[in-house]
Amino acid sequence: LQTLSTPDRNGFYYRKDWCPSAEFLSKMFRRSEYGKAIQQKLVEAPDVDWSASGAKQMEEIGGGARDSFFFQSVIEAFRKKFLVSFWQATVLNTKRHFTIWLRDKRFLRANFIKNVVMGFSVGMVFFNTDVVDSILGVCFQSTLFIMLSASTSAPSQIDDRGIFYKHADHNFYPVLSFVLGRTLAFIPQAVSDVVTFGSIIYALVGLEP
């Protein structure tokens, strides 16, 4: 989302002769159903009056009124850090990161090709071997490939910090729910890597259960 407002947004579109500006995207979002829903929510009266007049009215409440349900609900709303529960935030983060991962078709195709090419490269070097040192070499090469593949994702994690900091500052969700949701969302990617790369290695090297 932050990249769309920079010149790098040209890489997100297939048309090279035209690229929508940030103002155009903002206008189109306001016209969408989600934008209209947000605008409607903004004009509605809030559940709790946080204005100066509301605070003054709360200060004037005295006696047994402080034990009333209204007063207690206001205090509870004030003390509540997050609008959603921990598990709701975890589910929302999982859906969000899984949707982002699923939309990146270029990354999915490139990652699949990478696993196939590396699987055949390592498998053909140790083709049908029964030497113990060679099998250990297969394990080393496989571990090295996994480590290098994981290290390539570090730059994208750093770029996503800005969005995470913005959400955290506005109390969108707990930090643990973000980490847990992101981890769960990338399980399909890990399974795909293991199945694709591992199956090719297993068949070419001639490993036995």
Side-chain angles (χ1 to χ4, degrees):
L1 294 178
Q2 292 182 335
T3 309
L4 292 177
S5 61
T6 65
D8 295 335
R9 63 179 178 271
N10 297 327
F12 289 95
Y13 300 96
Y14 293 100
R15 290 182 57 181
K16 301 301 181 182
D17 56 338
W18 178 80
C19 180
S21 62
E23 293 77 11
F24 176 81
L25 294 175
S26 176
K27 184 183 297 184
M28 295 302 296
F29 177 76
R30 289 190 177 94
R31 294 179 180 177
S32 65
E33 295 182 1
Y34 292 103
K36 293 179 181 179
I38 293 176
Q39 292 295 332
Q40 181 64 27
K41 190 67 176 178
L42 290 175
V43 298
E44 293 178 356
D47 298 333
V48 180
D49 189 2
W50 301 107
S51 63
S53 59
K56 183 177 180 181
Q57 182 181 2
M58 291 298 299
E59 291 177 356
E60 294 175 353
I61 296 178
R66 290 185 176 272
D67 298 329
S68 63
F69 175 77
F70 172 74
F71 185 84
Q72 294 299 328
S73 62
V74 172
I75 297 300
E76 184 65 24
F78 180 79
R79 292 177 177 176
K80 190 175 182 180
K81 185 175 182 180
F82 304 105
L83 184 61
V84 297
S85 64
F86 172 80
W87 295 112
Q88 287 177 321
T90 302
V91 172
L92 291 174
N93 275 288
T94 303
K95 290 182 178 180
R96 173 177 177 269
H97 291 294
F98 180 77
T99 302
I100 295 175
W101 170 77
L102 196 61
R103 285 177 178 175
D104 196 352
K105 304 299 182 183
R106 183 183 302 177
F107 169 78
L108 295 178
R109 289 193 295 265
N111 195 71
F112 176 77
I113 295 174
K114 177 193 67 177
N115 291 327
V116 172
V117 171
M118 289 301 301
F120 275 102
S121 299
V122 178
M124 293 304 295
V125 172
F126 302 97
F127 183 73
N128 281 338
T129 182
D130 55 357
V131 181
V132 177
D133 293 340
S134 298
I135 296 177
L136 293 177
V138 173
C139 296
F140 171 77
Q141 291 292 338
S142 301
T143 305
L144 181 63
F145 170 69
I146 295 174
M147 293 175 58
L148 293 177
S149 299
S151 64
T152 57
S153 62
S156 62
Q157 306 291 335
I158 296 176
D159 295 337
D160 292 342
R161 289 188 305 172
I163 299 176
F164 167 73
Y165 289 154
K166 179 180 179 180
H167 291 174
D169 291 341
H170 289 78
N171 295 337
F172 278 15
Y173 42 71
V175 177
L176 182 58
S177 67
F178 173 84
V179 176
L180 185 59
R182 191 182 183 93
T183 303
L184 294 176
F186 283 99
I187 288 179
Q189 178 65 50
V191 173
S192 175
D193 294 342
V194 171
V195 171
T196 305
F197 179 77
S199 299
I200 297 174
I201 292 294
Y202 190 89
L204 293 179
V205 177
L207 301 176
E208 297 180 357

